[in-house]
Amino acid sequence: NGYIHVEVTRGSKDQGVDILAQKDEISYAIQCKHYTAKVPNKAVQEAYAGAKFYGCDVPVVLTNSYFFPSAEELGDEIGVELWDREKLRKMIRIAKRC
């Protein structure tokens, strides 16, 4: 998907970020959530804080599920990108073509 310098952070004490990556000279701090239910605000807050901690440009929450409306509202307000199940599927299809 065009991301470079992809790094998985250490498991504990990761400051709310699981993956660090760059694309088009923009740095991303990605919080991954494997949920059966919708993802709550807490994940959005963690991604925002983690991006600040690591000095990244864009905080992201990536999930195999979807987000609660309140998480979507918070993400929009504070600039956290929310990549839900549909975005993940698109990313996987693109990666398979490469």
Side-chain angles (χ1 to χ4, degrees):
N1 288 300
Y3 292 88
I4 60 172
H5 306 296
V6 178
E7 175 187 341
V8 177
T9 61
R10 59 182 187 250
S12 61
K13 300 179 184 177
D14 62 12
Q15 301 299 328
V17 172
D18 299 307
I19 299 171
L20 301 171
Q22 290 182 332
K23 184 175 184 178
D24 301 326
E25 298 184 28
I26 298 170
S27 59
Y28 293 82
I30 304 167
Q31 169 71 292
C32 301
K33 293 294 184 186
H34 183 260
Y35 278 28
T36 55
K38 290 184 177 182
V39 178
N41 285 18
K42 184 176 184 234
V44 177
Q45 295 163 347
E46 290 171 348
Y48 182 83
K52 296 297 180 190
F53 179 83
Y54 287 104
C56 293
D57 302 312
V58 179
V60 177
V61 181
L62 170 65
T63 184
N64 63 314
S65 185
Y66 297 97
F67 296 91
F68 278 109
S70 60
E72 292 174 347
E73 181 180 10
L74 180 61
D76 285 343
E77 185 64 32
I78 64 174
V80 176
E81 291 190 15
L82 304 181
W83 298 352
D84 66 9
R85 181 181 198 91
E86 302 311 315
K87 170 82 173 177
L88 179 59
R89 282 183 176 163
K90 287 178 188 173
M91 292 175 81
I92 291 169
R93 279 195 297 270
I94 290 169
K96 284 183 177 180
R97 281 189 254 149
C98 295

